[in-house]
Amino acid sequence: MLSKSLMRMRPMQFRSLYSLPIKNNLLKQQLRLFSTGPPSPGPPSPGPPGPNKSDGDLFGTPRTDARQPPDATDKSGYYSEEDSTSFSSDRKFSNFILFSGGLALIIIYMYSNVQSIKKKREQKIQNVGKASYTGKADIGGPWLLYDYNGEPVTHKDLEGKYYLIYFGFTMCPDVCPVSLNKASKARRRVMQSKEYKYFDLESVFVSLDPDRDSPERIEQYCNIFDKDMIGLTHKTNDDPGLKEILKKFKIHSSKIYLTEEEEKEDEDAMKAIAPEVIEQMKDKELKKDDKYSLDHTIVTYLMGPDNDFITYLGSNLNENEMAEIILDEISSDLGRKYK
């Protein structure tokens, strides 16, 4: 009803309301909504210049910026400084949340990538440690040697049996007695195992020094370590047949001529390491009394029943370790053949 009354008022009457003290807020709002003309001019107010009155309402109250959001006004429809501060704080807080969330996502993404790269690198390192090889070393092959009686022996005579083979010479002062002693003890341990009923294991000694090692001397030398050890050699040190088998088994052998002092050192070393060898070999004379030693490869090979290379046993192993490796390798080989 009040709105309709105001709409029927004449301009002069409408303008005269400016001079009335308005105590009713509702009336004040209605007048502001239906005002179409500028407010009446008045004397300039002292103090700093205020806002343009053309932007104000009927009572000279400055209007708020039209770009302010609707929720920046109070319940009476007027904009307040408190609301402005609250709106600005809300916007800053929202920006902070968005920035923090984006930063957190970036950190999570980068961390995830770093972890993924680290995991792949660790797997690659582990895979290198677990690399498997399908091929075998090119060691061994057909061979022909001679036994104590001068009879030829070939790889075919050991067909169907696993065998340990070692290359040395009876005048070796240290490494040969130690190596043959460990290999013989390891073989006996294998023979005492419950798995031994599934295979046979022989032991072969090949002399690199047939120029000095007679068949009788080789036989006696083998019996010191193992009564079942097969002693073989060739006719001379330079025989092509001997050189061929050394090449196939990757064995190096070269003569080293000794001085009297060095010869004495070798004798003392053998007395300390293998006194039983000196005692039992004293009646077996050398074919030649040449003063030299042999520098040779120190390794024991485990060969398969098809004369194929299985593995090698280094001089750093003791008899227990050798026996364990022999059993593991033979068990694996049998498993591959009969699975």
Side-chain angles (χ1 to χ4, degrees):
M1 294 297 294
L2 180 60
S3 299
K4 292 181 180 180
S5 300
L6 290 172
M7 291 177 68
R8 287 195 296 267
M9 292 177 67
R10 295 180 181 179
M12 291 302 296
Q13 294 173 331
F14 192 89
R15 190 175 290 112
S16 63
L17 291 175
Y18 296 150
S19 59
L20 295 178
I22 299 175
K23 298 180 180 180
N24 191 308
N25 285 335
L26 179 59
L27 179 60
K28 190 174 182 180
Q29 293 178 19
Q30 293 290 339
L31 289 173
R32 185 168 66 86
L33 292 172
F34 289 93
S35 175
T36 58
S40 59
S45 59
N52 191 345
K53 289 189 176 182
S54 63
D55 295 332
D57 58 12
L58 292 173
F59 306 100
T61 304
R63 294 183 179 179
T64 59
D65 190 349
R67 291 173 294 178
Q68 292 292 338
D71 59 349
T73 58
D74 59 16
K75 293 181 180 180
S76 62
Y78 293 95
Y79 186 73
S80 64
E81 292 182 359
E82 182 180 355
D83 294 331
S84 177
T85 303
S86 176
F87 175 75
S88 177
S89 299
D90 290 344
R91 173 172 288 182
K92 290 179 180 179
F93 181 73
S94 298
N95 291 340
F96 174 76
I97 292 297
L98 290 174
F99 175 77
S100 300
L103 182 60
L105 289 175
I106 293 173
I107 293 174
I108 292 173
Y109 176 76
M110 293 178 65
Y111 177 79
S112 176
N113 281 353
V114 170
Q115 290 297 108
S116 178
I117 294 172
K118 184 178 178 181
K119 187 176 181 180
K120 290 180 180 178
R121 185 175 297 172
E122 290 176 351
Q123 288 177 347
K124 186 179 291 185
I125 294 173
Q126 292 175 359
N127 290 336
V128 170
K130 298 179 181 179
S132 59
Y133 302 91
T134 56
K136 286 188 177 181
D138 185 19
I139 294 175
W143 50 265
L144 184 149
L145 295 167
Y146 296 91
D147 63 10
Y148 315 130
N149 301 316
E151 296 294 330
V153 178
T154 72
H155 61 283
K156 292 182 179 179
D157 294 306
L158 295 173
E159 189 173 355
K161 299 179 180 180
Y162 293 91
Y163 65 94
L164 300 171
I165 184 168
Y166 181 84
F167 297 81
F169 62 109
T170 64
M171 287 295 291
C172 180
D174 41 27
V175 294
C176 291
V178 172
S179 298
L180 289 173
N181 186 46
K182 289 192 297 184
S184 299
K185 289 181 178 180
R187 178 176 176 268
R188 285 192 286 270
R189 286 182 178 273
V190 171
M191 292 175 66
Q192 294 169 359
S193 68
K194 60 182 180 180
E195 294 87 356
Y196 188 68
K197 60 183 178 181
Y198 299 107
F199 60 89
D200 290 323
L201 179 64
E202 299 288 350
S203 180
V204 177
F205 169 73
V206 179
S207 172
L208 301 170
D209 192 19
D211 287 349
R212 293 186 301 180
D213 288 341
S214 64
E216 296 79 17
R217 186 176 177 85
I218 294 172
E219 181 180 12
Q220 181 65 25
Y221 189 73
C222 290
N223 288 338
I224 295 173
F225 305 103
D226 188 346
K227 298 292 184 181
D228 297 325
M229 184 178 292
I230 302 171
L232 304 174
T233 189
H234 225 286
K235 295 179 179 180
T236 65
N237 288 21
D238 297 324
D239 194 287
L242 181 60
K243 290 184 178 298
E244 182 181 1
I245 187 174
L246 297 185
K247 182 178 180 181
K248 289 180 178 180
F249 281 87
K250 308 294 188 291
I251 300 297
H252 163 79
S253 178
S254 60
K255 281 184 179 181
I256 301 175
Y257 287 94
L258 304 175
T259 63
E260 291 185 1
E261 183 179 354
E262 291 171 336
E263 185 180 3
K264 182 67 168 58
E265 289 177 356
D266 280 0
E267 290 177 359
D268 293 341
M270 184 174 287
K271 288 179 181 179
I273 294 173
E276 68 279 5
V277 173
I278 296 177
E279 179 64 25
Q280 296 188 42
M281 297 291 290
K282 63 182 180 181
D283 296 333
K284 304 297 179 182
E285 296 182 0
L286 295 169
K287 292 167 65 175
K288 292 182 180 180
D289 192 20
D290 292 348
K291 308 300 182 184
Y292 65 85
S293 183
L294 292 178
D295 179 26
H296 64 92
T297 305
I298 308 166
V299 65
T300 301
Y301 290 117
L302 172 62
M303 306 299 291
D306 298 325
N307 197 43
D308 53 331
F309 169 77
I310 301 293
T311 190
Y312 71 93
L313 305 167
S315 59
N316 60 316
L317 301 174
N318 59 42
E319 59 267 24
N320 296 328
E321 294 170 333
M322 292 177 75
E324 183 177 351
I325 293 173
I326 291 169
L327 280 172
D328 287 345
E329 292 293 338
I330 292 178
S331 298
S332 299
D333 187 62
L334 291 173
R336 287 190 296 268
K337 290 178 179 179
Y338 297 104
K339 67 178 181 178

